[in-house]
Amino acid sequence: MIRTLRASAGVMGAVVSLLTPAAAAPFKDPPVFRSVNGLLDIVMVAKAQPIEAINFAPPNSIAILHPTGWVYEICYRTAPYQNGCPAGSQTSSEYGGIRLALEKGDLLKVRLVNRLPRQNPAKVAHFWNMNRASIPDPDGVNLPRTPTNLHTHGLVVQARAPSFYNRTWGDNIYVDLYNPANGRPLPQPHMHGIAVEIGVLDYEIAIPRNEPSGPDWFHPHVHGVTSDSLSSGLAGIISIGHAADYAVFKGAGFPEEQVRHVTLKDMQVLAAGAIQFQQGTANPVLPVANGEVLDDQQDPTFCAQFPTGAEVREGGCPGVDNSASGGSNYTGGRWYFPVSGVVFPSIDVDRRGGEIWSISSIGASATYKLQIKDNEGGYPILTQLISVDGVSVHVPRGTNDGDKTTLGNTRFTVVPCPGPSAQTGSDPVCVKDFVMMPGSRAQLWVTYRDKDGNVTTPPANGKRATFQSMGITTGAPGVGDPWPAVDLASVYFGPNDTADGATALVLNGDALAANAPQGIFVEPVPYARPAPLPRGCAALPPGYRRRIYFGLVDTSNSNVFGLGYEMIDDKGAVVPGSSRPVTAFDLSSPFICLPLGAGQQPVRETWEIVNLATENHNFHIHQTKFRALQPGAAAGSPLGPNMDPTVGAGVMEDNVPLAIAVPKDSVRAKVMNQQNGYCTIGQWRNGDCAMSPQIVEIPFAELGEFVYHCHILEHEDSGMMAKIQVVPAPPKWRW
């Protein structure tokens, strides 16, 4: 549950226009910056800017407000020490984000410039102190200066810090970049980073030649303000390679011009006036100064979860008054859900072969349950699942629908694909709806289908549909967050949308290739050199696994999240001395250190992930992907415990929703409710709350220090994150 009820950072300021709201615009892909000759070299300026796509009319006013968000201004770099974009050369990302189009083997160079505004110290202190009150955290005093950095979410790349030979950064989150105009940060025992930079920060990120093709994304990752940054708009997408690398239509690679890049973000805009907050039993009124609300965390109860009466929700929903139940009064406000930066756009699917929709959920906290609904028949239009989290799927022929559902980890409602399927590649997977938690990506083949799921050509006048989020509660009633139902876009299937008899795309997925010889999760790490192991760092013994707990540091305090840890031996017993209680993120205390395998080959580990809550969390790990395992899976199944390189992983992902804990009986349910809906590790062990762990196999193929965490970013900012370190294998011979 998102308990820190704060209004979105999108209300920090507003530019007023007397224009009337514009009609819904056609969908437009995010602007693209492409690599040339193996290099993409850009300047990226993080700054505040009015969001023109959002036209907000305050109550009793004819004025239109364009709330101020945070965006990236990007241009190609033409000089080594360029710190901005010349007039006329820049492309501001707006709220939908920019796409960085890269090829396998490319080098991505970014000069990141921080021009973000200073935040109100009272606002930041209010959030930080409430969420980390039990943990000494001096770094909180610097957060109002709005530090930033860059994380390439989903890329299997090195988490490199600067060295004597290369002073740039890789995809390493342990650095904070400050805007000099906001004042220099105060010297503190740093809780987040190993380095502080002022003004500019240079990155060089080498894309491996065997990086999976597909959609990934980028965003800031400074602990404590990550949620604020994404709520305000700081996120964009990355594409590696092309759909033709893995998808085939009628014997040819799927055309790139028929791939639609869909970004999902959301912004809560408040009516003018004070905002009420729930903090225990008190409801203090937080002041507003110069249009800036003193707190900015999203509230999932901003709108009613479902529309009532004749209410039409095209691209957003109206704020409601929750003060009677101890919440906030959002009357007069509006929650916007732009699609690629446009509020309720129109999407035309009117070309031979339909389209691949590459959908990225790149907001801070919202969860979507998505479908494309036929307006006339009211049924969900089936789509074919192409990729998950940037890796194209490869499901072995004959895999049953139950295993297909398990591969999707409850994210996708899998149904049988009607009609004959292609005789090569992987078995097609059809879905009628799917869940996207923050950070997740999915690619789908979208072409018109009838109520029975059969691919068919629309009539001469076309067919109308609606791309919508159906509304979803992420947890038990009264505990989980009630994310609202909203119509996101209008869809038109035109008569040129014909599949010429095809019932599915042929897929040659990277979920197979990445785990086969020469794949990124098999091939030796090219830059790794043997080195002595750090003290306490050791390989996981054969048959052992790690267990991670998602919970509260103190079940009497619902605002401090954390992760627990223990090692399980080959008999299923906890290894003595390995247990650590649920602990909030602490850079100085890594839970896990592991070496690569012999010959610097990637090493695979099995993890059990236990959710101690009656609300969903979303497990995410940096620098790698993982696959679901199922005890007792049949031989040849992609869910089996031993990777078969001829079968592959079926589906690989970098985030997965965690099933909720269920109290054993009403007595235990009452105890858990008194504990803010969480059980303790001890209660889970003795069966007071039932939760089958999510079991995953994780291949580690990159060196460096990185993290795993909940990708509901309010939870991550509040401590639900831990450090991991991967080091080279030691020398074979010792002198």
Side-chain angles (χ1 to χ4, degrees), residues 236-300:
I237 55 177
I238 297 171
S239 60
I240 303 295
H242 308 275
D245 296 342
Y246 47 83
V248 177
F249 173 73
K250 304 296 287 186
F254 196 86
E256 192 67 19
E257 63 272 16
Q258 289 173 226
V259 177
R260 191 180 295 272
H261 299 275
V262 178
T263 64
L264 301 179
K265 295 185 181 181
D266 61 300
M267 174 182 280
Q268 294 176 347
V269 181
L270 304 170
I275 304 302
Q276 286 188 324
F277 268 68
Q278 180 182 7
Q279 299 177 43
T281 57
N283 294 292
V285 175
L286 298 182
V288 176
N290 300 320
E292 182 177 354
V293 182
L294 287 193
D295 229 2
D296 59 0
Q297 190 67 35
Q298 291 179 326
D299 183 352

Side-chain angles (χ1 to χ4, degrees), residues 151-290:
H151 167 53
T152 56
H153 180 128
L155 293 187
V156 186
V157 294
Q158 188 179 4
R160 180 179 55 78
S163 67
F164 178 82
Y165 301 99
N166 188 341
R167 301 307 301 164
T168 64
W169 287 81
D171 182 29
N172 189 313
I173 67 167
Y174 297 119
V175 57
D176 294 346
L177 175 66
Y178 287 86
N179 181 352
N182 294 341
R184 296 187 67 86
L186 300 176
Q188 297 289 337
H190 214 279
M191 287 294 293
H192 173 265
I194 60 174
V196 170
E197 300 286 346
I198 307 297
V200 299
L201 189 58
D202 285 312
Y203 289 88
E204 286 190 3
I205 298 172
I207 311 301
R209 60 174 178 78
N210 50 7
E211 176 81 15
S213 295
D216 295 300
W217 62 298
F218 61 91
H219 63 88
H221 208 297
V222 175
H223 185 56
V225 290
T226 306
S227 179
D228 286 356
S229 298
L230 271 73
S231 294
S232 302
L234 285 181
I237 55 177
I238 297 171
S239 60
I240 303 295
H242 308 275
D245 296 342
Y246 47 83
V248 177
F249 173 73
K250 304 296 287 186
F254 196 86
E256 192 67 19
E257 63 272 16
Q258 289 173 226
V259 177
R260 191 180 295 272
H261 299 275
V262 178
T263 64
L264 301 179
K265 295 185 181 181
D266 61 300
M267 174 182 280
Q268 294 176 347
V269 181
L270 304 170
I275 304 302
Q276 286 188 324
F277 268 68
Q278 180 182 7
Q279 299 177 43
T281 57
N283 294 292
V285 175
L286 298 182
V288 176
N290 300 320

